[in-house]
Amino acid sequence: MISSLTTTTTQQTQHLHGESPPGDDITILNAEEAFLPPLFDLHRRFPRLRIVLEHCTTAAAVEAVKACGPNVVGTITPHHMLITIDNWANDPFNYCKPVAKLPADRLALITTAASGNPKFFLGTDSAPHALSAKRGGGDGMGKCAAGVFTQPYATQLVLDAFEGAVEKGILKSEALSRDVLTGFLGEFGRKFYGEPASKRKIRITAGQDRIMEALKFGKDEEKIVPFRRKEPVYTLEWI
Amino acid sequence: MISSLTTTTTQQTQHLHGESPPGDDITILNAEEAFLPPLFDLHRRFPRLRIVLEHCTTAAAVEAVKACGPNVVGTITPHHMLITIDNWANDPFNYCKPVAKLPADRLALITTAASGNPKFFLGTDSAPHALSAKRGGGDGMGKCAAGVFTQPYATQLVLDAFEGAVEKGILKSEALSRDVLTGFLGEFGRKFYGEPASKRKIRITAGQDRIMEALKFGKDEEKIVPFRRKEPVYTLEWI
């Protein structure tokens, strides 16, 4: 089963898109959970292999990463911290693989990202698909490409997710310390990959910014529609 | 909660789109199951009220209808007998509300439709949305209209679903008697609504027919894309 997965190896680290292939009882909804037994097996057989379970979308995946040793970590995307199945069902610009799951899963991702556990850090999985690919190709009758485009707004979207959880009483704002935020947004990942700590800083301010409606590219009228287009967003500056 | 539902009353019969409104723990995946306690409550309080739970999509809904008295029946669509969540996630022409659920749910719909239980009969819920509405409106950036267009092929699609289940060993072909087929496809419904039995007949043959690619309508280049466009389909004739 492992051999059929999308994997990337960097610096002796295995990056896994952890979903089992479709089958009689495997759907896009439980494909990630179905992959957890093979993940445990892989980790048991190769305990020194460094594994990144990319874009965790379920409470089960988060718990699995926690249950493994320090060589197994997980990334979490901004969009999976913000949406559930209801958001992508009728909206291709929220549709990605693995698909966003249930409210309890989203909650688990947010609380894990806010926990300061260095086994979890941001991985955007941002995918700049063309509008036409999102809309079924030239005749509009094909399938929808999977992926959401968040890259310019990744940090701000994570903060939005945290803020929403604070407003709902799910997180306490004092839990979101500078160490927790910088750890999840970058330092936990840098440490795992053996990179030195970043010396650059960002400043986030609440202003009048909105997410762009679309990003033009290439020839013709092709464009990329970002996640949460036109919605208010924090302003981010490198300082 | 009942007052917020989509309902239609005909001949003292209440037709319910049985999904609870979205909420913290209610998604499009469990909205139908969440509606079953209100359904039981309605039936308990008004046992003589004739209720049609339209377009059942889950094993739970089927079991709920069975558990109620004879005044509560359920309809099943052809498309819910053929698809699951994986089929609509990236394909707007398979996207409808209630959404198609999991393989076990699809199986329950097929076996129920083939059981000869007069509490269940075909209801197509066919919805001829324009291609543009399926593709997010004029700029292609809006949401996808919910509904699939099956009407010209409803009978043939049901037979396809049955045939697939026979091929997989889930149904025995001898279970699909003329009474079972005519009952599910029409007579159980006519009886429930107090209509006389139909005197018209159809003939189904295996030929070279394929489902149309698109149905043109209105002005401009507007069209409707049917469910399973261009796929082989039985030929149906009224005789």
Side-chain angles (χ1 to χ4, degrees):
Chain A
M1 185 176 281
I2 298 300
S3 63
S4 72
L5 296 167
T6 305
T7 65
T8 320
T9 305
T10 56
Q11 302 174 328
Q12 291 76 51
T13 301
Q14 193 77 6
H15 295 80
L16 299 179
H17 178 128
E19 290 193 295
S20 287
D24 277 352
D25 295 314
I26 308 290
T27 67
I28 53 171
L29 212 66
N30 64 355
E32 185 175 89
E33 193 158 355
F35 178 72
L36 300 177
L39 172 70
F40 284 129
D41 188 49
L42 188 68
H43 179 50
R44 186 185 54 75
R45 286 190 289 150
F46 305 100
R48 284 180 301 170
L49 179 67
R50 292 149 54 77
I51 297 174
V52 181
L53 188 64
E54 294 199 317
H55 42 60
C56 298
T57 63
T58 56
V62 164
E63 290 308 313
V65 170
K66 286 184 196 168
C68 292
N71 282 341
V72 179
V73 300
T75 60
I76 296 174
T77 78
H79 51 285
H80 289 121
M81 293 171 69
L82 286 163
I83 61 174
T84 66
I85 182 172
D86 283 27
N87 299 104
W88 60 259
N90 64 352
D91 188 343
F93 307 108
N94 289 338
Y95 171 66
C96 59
K97 294 286 282 289
V99 297
K101 306 291 190 311
L102 305 182
D105 295 305
R106 185 174 85 88
L107 208 60
L109 300 179
I110 292 176
T111 54
T112 300
S115 70
N117 184 338
K119 286 172 75 96
F120 297 93
F121 44 85
L122 178 66
T124 64
D125 200 35
S126 178
H129 288 291
L131 174 58
S132 61
K134 279 295 196 183
R135 287 299 186 186
D139 63 0
M141 290 160 73
K143 295 196 175 162
C144 168
V148 305
F149 178 56
T150 56
Q151 204 62 43
Y153 308 106
T155 301
Q156 302 94 302
L157 291 168
V158 169
L159 297 182
D160 261 358
F162 284 149
E163 196 167 62
V166 168
E167 279 167 13
K168 283 206 161 189
I170 292 157
L171 288 182
K172 293 193 172 174
S173 58
E174 51 268 34
L176 298 166
S177 66
R178 178 179 295 251
D179 282 351
V180 163
L181 293 176
T182 57
F184 178 74
L185 290 168
E187 293 310 319
F188 294 158
R190 296 179 80 88
K191 203 162 184 182
F192 181 76
Y193 290 115
E195 296 290 326
S198 173
K199 291 188 173 131
R200 298 195 65 189
K201 291 187 178 179
I202 54 173
R203 179 191 290 130
I204 305 284
T205 45
Q208 300 299 312
D209 272 6
R210 287 181 178 267
I211 291 178
M212 68 179 82
E213 183 171 9
L215 177 68
K216 288 185 185 168
F217 80 101
K219 51 186 180 146
D220 303 329
E221 292 298 303
E222 200 54 278
K223 54 191 169 185
I224 295 159
V225 178
F227 180 69
R228 287 198 161 185
R229 69 185 177 284
K230 298 201 284 185
E231 289 191 28
V233 67
Y234 285 119
T235 301
L236 181 152
E237 300 161 278
W238 289 94
I239 57 176
Chain B
M1 184 178 282
I2 299 300
S3 62
S4 72
L5 296 168
T6 306
T7 65
T8 321
T9 306
T10 56
Q11 303 173 327
Q12 291 77 52
T13 301
Q14 193 76 7
H15 294 80
L16 298 179
H17 178 128
E19 289 193 294
S20 288
D24 278 351
D25 296 315
I26 307 292
T27 67
I28 53 172
L29 211 67
N30 64 356
E32 185 175 88
E33 192 157 356
F35 178 71
L36 300 178
L39 173 70
F40 284 130
D41 188 49
L42 188 68
H43 180 50
R44 185 184 55 75
R45 287 190 288 150
F46 305 99
R48 286 180 298 169
L49 178 67
R50 292 151 54 78
I51 297 173
V52 182
L53 188 64
E54 295 198 316
H55 42 60
C56 298
T57 63
T58 56
V62 163
E63 290 308 312
V65 169
K66 286 184 196 167
C68 293
N71 282 341
V72 179
V73 301
T75 61
I76 295 174
T77 78
H79 51 284
H80 289 121
M81 292 170 69
L82 287 163
I83 61 173
T84 66
I85 181 171
D86 282 27
N87 300 104
W88 60 258
N90 64 352
D91 188 341
F93 307 108
N94 288 340
Y95 171 66
C96 59
K97 294 285 281 290
V99 297
K101 306 292 192 309
L102 305 181
D105 294 306
R106 186 175 84 89
L107 208 60
L109 299 179
I110 292 175
T111 53
T112 300
S115 69
N117 183 338
K119 286 172 74 94
F120 296 93
F121 46 85
L122 177 65
T124 64
D125 200 35
S126 178
H129 288 291
L131 174 57
S132 61
K134 278 296 197 184
R135 286 299 184 186
D139 63 1
M141 290 158 74
K143 295 194 174 163
C144 168
V148 304
F149 179 56
T150 57
Q151 204 62 41
Y153 307 105
T155 300
Q156 303 94 303
L157 291 168
V158 169
L159 297 181
D160 261 356
F162 284 148
E163 197 167 63
V166 168
E167 279 168 13
K168 284 206 159 189
I170 292 157
L171 288 182
K172 292 193 172 174
S173 57
E174 51 268 34
L176 299 166
S177 65
R178 179 180 294 252
D179 282 352
V180 163
L181 294 175
T182 57
F184 178 74
L185 290 168
E187 293 309 320
F188 294 159
R190 297 180 80 87
K191 203 163 185 183
F192 181 76
Y193 291 115
E195 296 289 327
S198 173
K199 289 184 174 136
R200 298 195 65 189
K201 291 187 178 180
I202 55 174
R203 179 190 290 130
I204 305 284
T205 45
Q208 301 299 312
D209 272 6
R210 287 182 178 265
I211 290 179
M212 67 178 84
E213 183 171 9
L215 177 69
K216 288 185 185 169
F217 81 101
K219 49 184 181 150
D220 304 329
E221 291 300 304
E222 200 55 278
K223 53 191 169 185
I224 294 159
V225 178
F227 180 71
R228 288 196 161 185
R229 67 184 179 284
K230 299 199 283 183
E231 288 190 28
V233 67
Y234 285 120
T235 302
L236 181 150
E237 300 162 277
W238 288 94
I239 56 175

